[in-house]
Amino acid sequence: MSLDFTGLRRVADEELSTKDTRYLALVRVDLMALYRRWGRPDVGIDDLGEWLCFAFALSDGSKFVLQREAYNPPTPGFLLSATKALFSAEAVERVIGALEIPEAVVVELSDEVLD
């Protein structure tokens, strides 16, 4: 896989279309660690409520987002959703490394990745 993470940058949550991304993994990462490294989260709103979102793009146009419910998250982690080019187990590990938060770990991979 030849993904280049050197151009990783934050993008506005609105730049990601939910139809272009799929759930990839559950990532255990502290909200404050994300905040310290990447700034304030965006707040997205949908039919289910408010979400804290950290959206990112690579220089090749691939995108991913870490998000969780704003007020009552069912897990301390964040859902990682990604565009097609990043939808693999190998890419998950590269994404986690690119976040530059040493304590971030993958808790669970999507069943679609495991198949």
Side-chain angles (χ1 to χ4, degrees):
M1 181 176 292
S2 61
L3 295 170
D4 181 10
F5 282 81
T6 57
L8 180 67
R9 62 185 171 84
R10 275 287 300 271
V11 295
D13 176 52
E14 297 86 34
E15 287 189 36
L16 274 89
S17 167
T18 55
K19 62 182 176 236
D20 294 334
T21 60
R22 295 183 356 217
Y23 167 71
L24 180 58
L26 176 62
V27 177
R28 187 175 62 227
V29 60
D30 183 64
L31 171 61
M32 291 311 295
L34 281 168
Y35 176 84
R36 282 190 297 275
R37 173 61 186 98
W38 295 102
R40 291 181 162 264
D42 292 330
V43 178
I45 299 174
D46 65 13
D47 294 341
L48 300 174
E50 291 186 38
W51 296 82
L52 301 180
C53 306
F54 292 87
F56 299 87
L58 303 181
S59 56
D60 70 359
S62 300
K63 296 178 181 171
F64 67 92
V65 62
L66 292 163
Q67 59 191 64
R68 76 176 206 188
E69 289 181 37
Y71 299 110
N72 297 304
T75 175
F78 280 76
L79 303 175
L80 170 61
S81 297
T83 55
K84 188 175 182 175
L86 295 173
F87 201 82
S88 71
E90 180 184 346
V92 170
E93 294 303 323
R94 305 258 330 262
V95 164
I96 299 305
L99 290 175
E100 299 177 350
I101 300 173
E103 64 272 14
V105 295
V106 175
V107 175
E108 162 189 293
L109 284 175
S110 164
D111 289 341
E112 293 179 49
V113 174
L114 299 174
D115 291 338

